[in-house]
Amino acid sequence: MRSAQAVPLPRLRCWHWRQSLRSAGRCSSLLVLLGAAAVTMLLTGIGILVDRFDESHPRQANLLYVMDADTRTAMWASQSRTRDRWTARYVPISNGAAEPPHPLPYGVTPRWTGTADVVPMDPPRIDVLASRSEGDSTEVRVRVASSRRANVITIRADRPVETATIAADGQQPVTASPRYPDAVDARAWPYEMRLYDPPPNGFTVTLQLRGSTVPQLYVSDYTVGLGQLPGFTPRQPGLDRSPYHSSDIVVVGRTFRP
């Protein structure tokens, strides 16, 4: 959404124009619009002050479960700015702006974290089909599949990817060239690919990466729903799931070097 802009100066100069009926009408219309905007802002501010959360107007709480298959460790994470009592049970530690120990889907940097029990779940399967370096670039081709038939699979790379080609059985390959911001090299995992509703038997990904050294990939998959996790208690009335895509997902990942 674009940020609101100030009213252009020429329109405000109508006060200094020669007063004809037409110009006066323009000024009156402008004043009505500005007056309506001021009233709207005032009413919005009052609404914020008197707003109360209840079952009809629930507060929203963000929570996700993350397990790293390499270290066999797990954590709870939350993007919520402030915690309610339900969320605080799982994420008592303030994370600040620190990057998580392992990359999370959607580039999430959690504001709150907490340790969690490890649930036995298999990470995504990865098979190397080809890997070669030439000049200042490296090409890696892997086959990826979710062992637990997850809804989404994510692939992160520790360096920028120039082109990515995805091929699934019975479908035409798709190639894309991502764009990066100027500060991309400052991020530990500058590249992220997400694939929704992946086929059960997996798909093939060919990545053309910058640099000639062996890249590091982090592959994870996630499902929606926390109810099967040990110790999880559903939200109480007056508390709803956050609209963030990261909310209420179970993430399982592993680090991989071709």
Side-chain angles (χ1 to χ4, degrees):
M1 180 181 296
R2 295 182 179 178
S3 59
Q5 296 181 352
V7 179
L9 185 59
R11 293 191 63 182
L12 295 180
R13 287 178 180 171
C14 68
W15 287 104
H16 304 289
W17 292 347
R18 187 173 299 173
Q19 292 296 311
S20 65
L21 292 177
R22 187 174 182 181
S23 63
R26 289 179 179 174
C27 289
S28 299
S29 299
L30 178 60
L31 287 175
V32 170
L33 290 175
L34 293 176
V39 172
T40 301
M41 292 177 63
L42 176 61
L43 293 177
T44 301
I46 294 175
I48 293 174
L49 291 176
V50 302
D51 193 15
R52 295 292 184 271
F53 295 102
D54 53 31
E55 294 187 29
S56 300
H57 305 85
R59 184 189 298 272
Q60 297 172 341
N62 174 266
L63 185 68
L64 61 151
Y65 173 91
V66 185
M67 190 191 82
D68 180 69
D70 296 324
T71 60
R72 305 301 298 178
T73 57
M75 72 173 185
W76 295 103
S78 175
Q79 286 183 269
S80 297
R81 292 183 180 276
T82 59
R83 298 168 302 166
D84 54 89
R85 286 187 296 176
W86 179 83
T87 310
R89 292 176 49 194
Y90 301 97
V91 287
I93 305 170
S94 175
N95 188 59
E99 288 196 28
H102 307 289
L104 302 181
Y106 307 104
V108 168
T109 299
R111 291 185 171 92
W112 309 92
T113 62
T115 57
D117 294 333
V118 176
V119 179
M121 291 181 287
D122 293 327
R125 302 191 308 271
I126 310 172
D127 297 313
V128 180
L129 304 179
S131 179
R132 65 185 183 89
S133 296
E134 183 176 346
D136 194 31
S137 66
T138 301
E139 183 179 279
V140 175
R141 187 158 60 98
V142 295
R143 183 84 179 178
V144 182
S146 174
S147 303
R148 57 195 189 100
R149 294 179 177 269
N151 308 89
V152 184
I153 294 178
T154 65
I155 300 175
R156 302 293 294 266
D158 65 349
R159 71 185 67 170
V161 170
E162 300 290 351
T163 61
T165 301
I166 306 170
D169 296 343
Q171 300 184 23
Q172 291 292 328
V174 177
T175 299
S177 298
R179 296 180 180 180
Y180 299 95
D182 294 337
V184 64
D185 292 330
R187 302 187 61 183
W189 302 91
Y191 177 78
E192 177 182 9
M193 172 193 295
R194 291 191 301 272
L195 297 103
Y196 296 85
D197 295 324
N201 62 338
F203 52 90
T204 300
V205 178
T206 303
L207 301 177
Q208 195 79 29
L209 305 101
R210 300 178 190 174
S212 57
T213 58
V214 178
Q216 181 173 242
L217 306 178
Y218 193 85
V219 182
S220 62
D221 58 13
Y222 69 78
T223 54
V224 180
L226 305 174
Q228 78 278 15
L229 299 175
F232 178 76
T233 302
R235 294 171 175 83
Q236 65 268 26
L239 194 63
D240 207 352
R241 174 184 173 181
S242 165
Y244 287 125
H245 291 300
S246 63
S247 190
D248 289 49
I249 63 175
V250 175
V251 183
V252 181
R254 59 167 294 199
T255 305
F256 179 77
R257 286 187 179 275

